[in-house]
Amino acid sequence: MKNLILIRHAKSSWDAPVHDKERFLAPRGIQDSHLVSQNIGSFLPKTNIIWSSTAKRAAETAVIFAQNLQWPLESIVFKDELYTFDSSKLEKTIKACQNSYENVILFGHNEAITEFVNKFGDIFIDNVPTAGFVSISFPQESWSQIKAGKTTKILFPRDLKYD
């Protein structure tokens, strides 16, 4: 069995005139990253590999999660190929994962994440929002063979806000 957790980077800032890959988290993104990461500990596998896009906003989201969940920062593997908005490229990267890893936690981008969870999960999600968390389990033993999986947990920042 393989387990995949997809986390969309948190809300980023559009204020600075920087390239897309260099956009940093907005204050709300920082807050939402803390909020979600502080509420998912019981849903996480004990052992995992953590992948993050090399985009600044995804990396910052991964670091906040790591700090709150007490993951060593050096355990985050930054992968340039995860800086994609294309679900077929995301799928290719996931399917190339070594089978010795049962659990992957991935920080990435939309539209790739929403399209991926709708292709492989069993619950339709109109849009995975920033800082959104979706966990999918696959019965296959090989990452390259994953297909229809079971969506086991969905957690979005709005689920945790009590205004």
Side-chain angles (χ1 to χ4, degrees):
M1 176 174 265
K2 301 296 182 195
N3 299 294
L4 176 65
I5 293 171
L6 298 126
I7 301 167
R8 182 177 171 195
H9 69 77
K11 182 79 175 156
S12 60
S13 175
W14 290 90
D15 293 341
V18 296
H19 292 288
D20 181 70
K21 198 171 182 182
E22 298 303 316
R23 286 192 295 118
F24 48 88
L25 292 182
R28 189 183 107 201
I30 294 168
Q31 179 184 21
D32 287 351
S33 293
H34 283 289
L35 185 63
V36 173
S37 63
Q38 291 168 351
N39 284 279
I40 60 166
S42 63
F43 305 110
L44 297 175
K46 296 292 182 229
T47 60
N48 55 60
I49 185 167
I50 304 156
W51 288 353
S52 175
S53 161
T54 52
K56 187 172 182 98
R57 60 195 182 272
E60 288 179 342
T61 304
V63 166
I64 291 170
F65 274 71
Q67 290 170 334
N68 286 332
L69 294 161
Q70 299 178 342
W71 298 332
L73 293 181
E74 58 274 5
S75 68
I76 303 170
V77 178
F78 295 96
K79 299 174 85 61
D80 204 42
E81 59 267 33
L82 292 177
Y83 177 63
T84 185
F85 311 100
D86 181 328
S87 63
S88 63
K89 289 180 181 176
L90 178 62
E91 178 181 340
K92 182 179 177 182
T93 301
I94 292 166
K95 287 187 169 186
C97 184
Q98 295 177 12
N99 288 326
S100 58
Y101 299 110
E102 297 295 318
N103 306 296
V104 174
I105 299 172
L106 185 153
F107 294 85
H109 306 272
N110 247 7
E111 283 297 310
I113 287 180
T114 296
E115 290 174 3
F116 184 93
V117 300
N118 286 327
K119 178 176 180 179
F120 288 93
D122 63 347
I123 297 173
F124 178 81
I125 300 171
D126 185 50
N127 177 55
V128 176
T130 52
F133 172 102
V134 179
S135 179
I136 303 173
S137 292
F138 300 95
Q140 292 79 26
E141 293 297 321
S142 170
W143 285 106
S144 65
Q145 301 299 313
I146 62 169
K147 43 186 176 234
K150 177 170 180 47
T151 304
T152 56
K153 181 66 180 172
I154 300 168
L155 186 64
F156 299 157
R158 67 175 174 254
D159 302 328
L160 300 167
K161 294 179 180 175
Y162 307 104
D163 293 352

